[in-house]
């Protein structure tokens, strides 16, 4: 059991480096974002047609929605990778992963 835990920890230590290289694209029509697997926003493109000074709330809502979705996808991917690394480590099910 100790060897299994040590092996899982070694894989987990390289997980952040692996996730940092992954990319997730979020396309909300006029708002396009790219996130890495750590949930960090890498780029955002905004179609100028949605930049209306009289309706900034719509643009703000699109940006918030895009960021929320990108972070959620990255979190789901990270959780799946953790489950792959540590499928049989005692107590993992209690961590909610």
């Amino acid at each position: 059991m100790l060897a299994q835990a040590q092996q899982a920890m070694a894989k987990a230590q390289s997980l952040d480096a692996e996730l940092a290289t992954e990319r997730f694209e979020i396309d909300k029509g006029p708002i396009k974002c790219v996130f890495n697997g750590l949930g960090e926003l890498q780029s955002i493109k905004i179609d100028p047609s949605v930049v209306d000074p009289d309706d900034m709330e719509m643009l703000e809502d699109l940006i918030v929605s895009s960021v929320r979705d990108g972070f959620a996808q990255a979190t789901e991917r990270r959780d799946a990778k953790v489950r792959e690394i540590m499928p049989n480590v005692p107590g993992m099910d209690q961590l909610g992963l």
Side-chain angles (χ1 to χ4, degrees):
M1 183 163 80
L2 179 59
Q4 183 183 14
Q6 288 173 333
Q7 183 181 26
M9 287 303 295
K11 288 180 184 177
Q13 288 176 344
S14 65
L15 181 59
D16 279 351
E18 180 182 337
L19 289 170
T21 64
E22 292 189 15
R23 296 291 180 262
F24 300 99
E25 295 183 17
I26 304 298
D27 186 343
K28 294 286 186 175
I31 305 290
K32 295 177 181 26
C33 299
V34 176
F35 289 81
N36 68 15
L38 298 173
E40 299 169 335
L41 180 63
Q42 300 296 296
S43 67
I44 186 168
K45 303 286 183 203
I46 301 172
D47 185 324
S49 69
V50 297
V51 181
D52 179 357
D54 295 325
D55 189 10
M56 292 301 292
E57 187 175 345
M58 180 193 68
L59 177 59
E60 293 165 349
D61 289 345
L62 283 169
I63 292 170
V64 168
S65 176
S66 298
V67 170
R68 185 178 293 130
D69 288 356
F71 187 74
Q73 272 193 336
T75 300
E76 288 170 15
R77 181 68 177 144
R78 178 185 202 89
D79 290 350
K81 290 228 177 233
V82 168
R83 284 190 299 273
E84 287 174 17
I85 291 170
M86 303 181 191
N88 298 316
V89 174
M92 282 302 294
D93 57 335
Q94 296 172 354
L95 297 177
L97 300 175

